[in-house]
Amino acid sequence: MWQMSIQNRSICYLRSNEQCGLDKWQTNLCTCYATAAKQGILCADGKPVSLPPLESQPHSPRYMVSSQQERESLEVRMREVEEENRVLRKQLSLAQSRSPLHHRGNHSKTFSMEEGTGDSESLRAGIVAGNSSECGQQPAVEKCETIHVAIVCAGYNASRDVVTLVKSVLFHRRNPLHFHLIADAIAKQILATLFQTWMVPAVRIDFYDADELKSEVSWIPNKHYSGIYGLMKLVLTKTLPSNLERVIVLDTDITFATDIAELWAVFHKFKGVILLLLDKLRKMKWEQMWRLTAERELMSMLSTSLADQDIFNAVIKQNPFLVYQLPCFWNVQLSDHTRSEQCYRDVSDLKVIHWNSPKKLRVKNKHVEFFRNLYLTFLEYDGNLLRRELFGCPSEADVNSENLQKQLSELDEDDLCYEFRRERFTVHRTHLYFLHYEYEPASDNTDVTLVAQLSMDRLQMLEAICKHWEGPISLALYLSDAEAQQFLRYAQGSEVLMSRHNVGYHIVYKEGQFYPVNLLRNVAMKHISTPYMFLSDIDFLPMYGLYEYLRKSVIQLDLANTKKALIVPAFETLRYRLSFPKSKAELLSMLDMGTLFTFRYHVWTKGHAPTNFAKWRTATTPYRVEWEADFEPYVVVRKDCPEYDRRFVGFGWNKVAHIMELDAQEYEFTVLPNAYMIHMPHAPSFDITKFRSNKQYRICLKTLKEEFQQDMSRHYGFAALKYLTAENNS
């Protein structure tokens, strides 16, 4: 994490003393940092070195002044700038001597924390100047002052890290926050949905397209694992709004242990002293400064190994007066080459923990267990608890929040089915693509995605489904924050799951007392990239080869141009260990022997009876069946089919209502003669147990069914009357 102050496109970088390694010039630079608070300016190698601003910037990293006249002009300009810097330092020194801060002195110690230049994130990780307790006493931030935070985030893994960082900030904060997220398309999709569904009061999010910034830094050779996105912070002054004066820039791998307002308060120290420096920075043109410095350095180093840090280091070496110091408890770095224990005397001193080791949590520090537990606390912390209001601070009008409050206010809290009705409007925090996803649909427009939903107690089905279905899968998982981390560890430890990049895992976080089964289905349906989807359940294993069979059926039955729902006949076994049938003939044999049954034959025959299993046994071509009351087959449909009705939660009528709506929209139900799926046994779910044991649950489900049928009649008119008649006769 590093910090900067922007005013009229100018920037003041806060440089970490911990970044100084054992390199000679860096050690000298660290020594200079220790005197900065007294002198009001920093030095490099014991003397001021400043970079001249140029009115035009070279276009090639190999750019050199080619003419004698240009060299002479550059030398003259260098002398002019050095003289200007000398005057500026004198002004800063006088201003510092008049400041009350000067009389306190600076009792900090200086530490060399890294070998070489350290980790690539280290420059951004904070300003480090030792452990003076006085340094932590910052001017207070106004109660409702908005704190601006910028984060560069690209890809699936970084998006997960951002959530933990944001949790730690939200947990301690007392001020409104405005996050500026420089994100690629993947991170934007994930984080936009997350924050939209998180609905945290007094938090604003703005996105900036990182891909549009690539051309600004792509010319810089870079070997760092972060790739081109590791250079994006160089262009923040150009990227962020011109009227934004101050911003805290954070890496994704840090954890806050204090209110971020304490860091924001550091900006108040700049008044009266730094204003002159900002004015100077505007004249010196930061954009040209870093580009020219980068080009000079790349002539010798050829490529950056630490991304933007190499360039920041070089700029600071040339222009040390750009730097302001912070105590290193703002950047307790946990990597193998740091002396992080020297940054604090007590855990109460800690402000920011920076996991900047490639090994992350497996680092050497005598207090690492404490740090790890703090990190894990936020990793598994219930994000719903962070939706707290900032009392006394006016919030910006949020249309979604206002609509939600209006809908909830219209419900009768005395209604015995109030909790059922309320669930329909509950906004569940949603993290899309929790793991890496990479899939391009087949170019022939026949591709099919398997769609399902699950909770923690069904994780064991994932590997088996992946072995049976080689095509893309979209899964919605209903988990708590802690369970999401358990799932992550489970998936990362599975060779089967890690070998599959065409499975989209979408976390819908737990809230309320019901399992929102149809919301989960809708989330999984919404985030598919194929033209067709197979609407399944997690307890079913599709037959081997079903993926390719469905793609052929899509063409054969002209699904692209007709409203059809292709039925995959469902069977079940009561055996936990099953020799899965490899053909229809083998399945029929197992049916005859009693090893398999048609699905729910013993308890709910009506659910799949219209499939007409007797006809299916001998069918060789697809055949059409008619809708009947309580029909709930598993179907293949186009991705533009209706969503599931959210009023149905837990157990009962969740699929029945969807099939009824397909029929109302005149979908034709067609049974596939050579397709099948088998339900695997499991313990009864908590929801079906509630249905069976709770009379009020059953009463409310009946009420919701009646209201759904009434809504169908209003929406589809006379044609929907058959659903009321069929229900009365069933």
Side-chain angles (χ1 to χ4, degrees), residues 60-74:
S60 166
R62 302 296 182 184
Y63 173 82
M64 297 182 64
V65 179
S66 58
S67 68
Q68 181 65 28
Q69 182 178 4
E70 289 174 331
R71 284 196 296 271
E72 291 175 354
S73 174
L74 183 59

PDB file of all heavy atoms in Angstrom, residues 60-74:
ATOM      1  N   SER A  60       9.938   5.737 -27.597  1.00  0.00           N
ATOM      2  CA  SER A  60      10.660   4.473 -27.590  1.00  0.00           C
ATOM      3  C   SER A  60      11.493   4.361 -26.335  1.00  0.00           C
ATOM      4  O   SER A  60      12.109   5.337 -25.896  1.00  0.00           O
ATOM      5  CB  SER A  60      11.568   4.382 -28.822  1.00  0.00           C
ATOM      6  OG  SER A  60      12.490   3.325 -28.660  1.00  0.00           O
ATOM      7  N   PRO A  61      11.576   3.189 -25.722  1.00  0.00           N
ATOM      8  CA  PRO A  61      12.418   3.009 -24.556  1.00  0.00           C
ATOM      9  C   PRO A  61      13.896   3.273 -24.853  1.00  0.00           C
ATOM     10  O   PRO A  61      14.687   3.489 -23.949  1.00  0.00           O
ATOM     11  CB  PRO A  61      12.183   1.550 -24.178  1.00  0.00           C
ATOM     12  CG  PRO A  61      10.836   1.247 -24.736  1.00  0.00           C
ATOM     13  CD  PRO A  61      10.763   2.036 -25.999  1.00  0.00           C
ATOM     14  N   ARG A  62      14.289   3.231 -26.122  1.00  0.00           N
ATOM     15  CA  ARG A  62      15.688   3.451 -26.504  1.00  0.00           C
ATOM     16  C   ARG A  62      15.954   4.896 -26.937  1.00  0.00           C
ATOM     17  O   ARG A  62      16.964   5.220 -27.537  1.00  0.00           O
ATOM     18  CB  ARG A  62      16.056   2.502 -27.660  1.00  0.00           C
ATOM     19  CG  ARG A  62      15.856   1.034 -27.284  1.00  0.00           C
ATOM     20  CD  ARG A  62      16.777   0.639 -26.167  1.00  0.00           C
ATOM     21  NE  ARG A  62      16.641  -0.766 -25.834  1.00  0.00           N
ATOM     22  CZ  ARG A  62      17.277  -1.365 -24.850  1.00  0.00           C
ATOM     23  NH1 ARG A  62      18.097  -0.682 -24.093  1.00  0.00           N
ATOM     24  NH2 ARG A  62      17.091  -2.649 -24.610  1.00  0.00           N
ATOM     25  N   TYR A  63      14.994   5.761 -26.584  1.00  0.00           N
ATOM     26  CA  TYR A  63      15.120   7.158 -26.973  1.00  0.00           C
ATOM     27  C   TYR A  63      16.335   7.786 -26.309  1.00  0.00           C
ATOM     28  O   TYR A  63      16.575   7.623 -25.131  1.00  0.00           O
ATOM     29  CB  TYR A  63      13.859   7.910 -26.559  1.00  0.00           C
ATOM     30  CG  TYR A  63      13.948   9.415 -26.772  1.00  0.00           C
ATOM     31  CD1 TYR A  63      13.703   9.960 -28.007  1.00  0.00           C
ATOM     32  CD2 TYR A  63      14.272  10.242 -25.713  1.00  0.00           C
ATOM     33  CE1 TYR A  63      13.769  11.321 -28.190  1.00  0.00           C
ATOM     34  CE2 TYR A  63      14.349  11.603 -25.882  1.00  0.00           C
ATOM     35  CZ  TYR A  63      14.095  12.148 -27.120  1.00  0.00           C
ATOM     36  OH  TYR A  63      14.169  13.503 -27.288  1.00  0.00           O
ATOM     37  N   MET A  64      17.143   8.542 -27.059  1.00  0.00           N
ATOM     38  CA  MET A  64      18.299   9.264 -26.527  1.00  0.00           C
ATOM     39  C   MET A  64      18.386  10.623 -27.204  1.00  0.00           C
ATOM     40  O   MET A  64      17.959  10.819 -28.342  1.00  0.00           O
ATOM     41  CB  MET A  64      19.592   8.474 -26.776  1.00  0.00           C
ATOM     42  CG  MET A  64      19.634   7.117 -26.074  1.00  0.00           C
ATOM     43  SD  MET A  64      21.183   6.251 -26.330  1.00  0.00           S
ATOM     44  CE  MET A  64      22.304   7.368 -25.509  1.00  0.00           C
ATOM     45  N   VAL A  65      18.935  11.573 -26.482  1.00  0.00           N
ATOM     46  CA  VAL A  65      19.120  12.902 -27.078  1.00  0.00           C
ATOM     47  C   VAL A  65      20.180  12.779 -28.144  1.00  0.00           C
ATOM     48  O   VAL A  65      21.310  12.385 -27.853  1.00  0.00           O
ATOM     49  CB  VAL A  65      19.554  13.926 -25.998  1.00  0.00           C
ATOM     50  CG1 VAL A  65      19.758  15.287 -26.624  1.00  0.00           C
ATOM     51  CG2 VAL A  65      18.524  13.987 -24.899  1.00  0.00           C
ATOM     52  N   SER A  66      19.817  13.105 -29.357  1.00  0.00           N
ATOM     53  CA  SER A  66      20.699  12.806 -30.474  1.00  0.00           C
ATOM     54  C   SER A  66      21.569  13.985 -30.910  1.00  0.00           C
ATOM     55  O   SER A  66      22.589  13.808 -31.534  1.00  0.00           O
ATOM     56  CB  SER A  66      19.873  12.291 -31.650  1.00  0.00           C
ATOM     57  OG  SER A  66      18.911  13.275 -32.005  1.00  0.00           O
ATOM     58  N   SER A  67      21.182  15.163 -30.609  1.00  0.00           N
ATOM     59  CA  SER A  67      21.944  16.324 -31.093  1.00  0.00           C
ATOM     60  C   SER A  67      22.624  17.048 -29.943  1.00  0.00           C
ATOM     61  O   SER A  67      22.176  17.007 -28.797  1.00  0.00           O
ATOM     62  CB  SER A  67      21.018  17.293 -31.835  1.00  0.00           C
ATOM     63  OG  SER A  67      20.121  17.882 -30.924  1.00  0.00           O
ATOM     64  N   GLN A  68      23.720  17.685 -30.249  1.00  0.00           N
ATOM     65  CA  GLN A  68      24.455  18.445 -29.252  1.00  0.00           C
ATOM     66  C   GLN A  68      23.602  19.561 -28.678  1.00  0.00           C
ATOM     67  O   GLN A  68      23.635  19.833 -27.474  1.00  0.00           O
ATOM     68  CB  GLN A  68      25.733  19.035 -29.887  1.00  0.00           C
ATOM     69  CG  GLN A  68      26.600  19.833 -28.927  1.00  0.00           C
ATOM     70  CD  GLN A  68      27.173  18.953 -27.822  1.00  0.00           C
ATOM     71  OE1 GLN A  68      27.373  17.756 -28.015  1.00  0.00           O
ATOM     72  NE2 GLN A  68      27.422  19.542 -26.664  1.00  0.00           N
ATOM     73  N   GLN A  69      22.797  20.176 -29.534  1.00  0.00           N
ATOM     74  CA  GLN A  69      21.950  21.272 -29.083  1.00  0.00           C
ATOM     75  C   GLN A  69      20.939  20.782 -28.054  1.00  0.00           C
ATOM     76  O   GLN A  69      20.699  21.445 -27.040  1.00  0.00           O
ATOM     77  CB  GLN A  69      21.217  21.890 -30.286  1.00  0.00           C
ATOM     78  CG  GLN A  69      20.343  23.086 -29.922  1.00  0.00           C
ATOM     79  CD  GLN A  69      19.670  23.692 -31.144  1.00  0.00           C
ATOM     80  OE1 GLN A  69      19.801  23.174 -32.249  1.00  0.00           O
ATOM     81  NE2 GLN A  69      18.963  24.778 -30.928  1.00  0.00           N
ATOM     82  N   GLU A  70      20.366  19.615 -28.270  1.00  0.00           N
ATOM     83  CA  GLU A  70      19.396  19.075 -27.328  1.00  0.00           C
ATOM     84  C   GLU A  70      20.056  18.736 -25.997  1.00  0.00           C
ATOM     85  O   GLU A  70      19.498  18.942 -24.929  1.00  0.00           O
ATOM     86  CB  GLU A  70      18.717  17.848 -27.927  1.00  0.00           C
ATOM     87  CG  GLU A  70      17.757  18.186 -29.064  1.00  0.00           C
ATOM     88  CD  GLU A  70      17.214  16.937 -29.716  1.00  0.00           C
ATOM     89  OE1 GLU A  70      17.936  15.919 -29.700  1.00  0.00           O
ATOM     90  OE2 GLU A  70      16.094  16.968 -30.240  1.00  0.00           O
ATOM     91  N   ARG A  71      21.314  18.199 -26.076  1.00  0.00           N
ATOM     92  CA  ARG A  71      22.014  17.868 -24.842  1.00  0.00           C
ATOM     93  C   ARG A  71      22.318  19.114 -24.029  1.00  0.00           C
ATOM     94  O   ARG A  71      22.158  19.128 -22.808  1.00  0.00           O
ATOM     95  CB  ARG A  71      23.312  17.116 -25.174  1.00  0.00           C
ATOM     96  CG  ARG A  71      23.102  15.661 -25.569  1.00  0.00           C
ATOM     97  CD  ARG A  71      24.395  14.881 -25.495  1.00  0.00           C
ATOM     98  NE  ARG A  71      25.382  15.376 -26.443  1.00  0.00           N
ATOM     99  CZ  ARG A  71      25.485  14.924 -27.691  1.00  0.00           C
ATOM    100  NH1 ARG A  71      24.664  13.990 -28.127  1.00  0.00           N
ATOM    101  NH2 ARG A  71      26.411  15.403 -28.498  1.00  0.00           N
ATOM    102  N   GLU A  72      22.760  20.138 -24.733  1.00  0.00           N
ATOM    103  CA  GLU A  72      23.062  21.382 -24.025  1.00  0.00           C
ATOM    104  C   GLU A  72      21.801  21.968 -23.406  1.00  0.00           C
ATOM    105  O   GLU A  72      21.824  22.461 -22.270  1.00  0.00           O
ATOM    106  CB  GLU A  72      23.696  22.385 -24.993  1.00  0.00           C
ATOM    107  CG  GLU A  72      25.095  21.981 -25.445  1.00  0.00           C
ATOM    108  CD  GLU A  72      25.646  22.940 -26.495  1.00  0.00           C
ATOM    109  OE1 GLU A  72      24.878  23.835 -26.932  1.00  0.00           O
ATOM    110  OE2 GLU A  72      26.820  22.786 -26.882  1.00  0.00           O
ATOM    111  N   SER A  73      20.697  21.906 -24.143  1.00  0.00           N
ATOM    112  CA  SER A  73      19.434  22.427 -23.628  1.00  0.00           C
ATOM    113  C   SER A  73      19.000  21.654 -22.389  1.00  0.00           C
ATOM    114  O   SER A  73      18.501  22.221 -21.403  1.00  0.00           O
ATOM    115  CB  SER A  73      18.353  22.331 -24.712  1.00  0.00           C
ATOM    116  OG  SER A  73      17.101  22.710 -24.196  1.00  0.00           O
ATOM    117  N   LEU A  74      19.214  20.324 -22.410  1.00  0.00           N
ATOM    118  CA  LEU A  74      18.850  19.496 -21.277  1.00  0.00           C
ATOM    119  C   LEU A  74      19.691  19.838 -20.055  1.00  0.00           C
ATOM    120  O   LEU A  74      19.193  19.919 -18.930  1.00  0.00           O
ATOM    121  CB  LEU A  74      19.024  18.020 -21.646  1.00  0.00           C
ATOM    122  CG  LEU A  74      18.625  16.983 -20.586  1.00  0.00           C
ATOM    123  CD1 LEU A  74      17.165  17.144 -20.211  1.00  0.00           C
ATOM    124  CD2 LEU A  74      18.899  15.585 -21.094  1.00  0.00           C
TER     125      LEU A  74
END
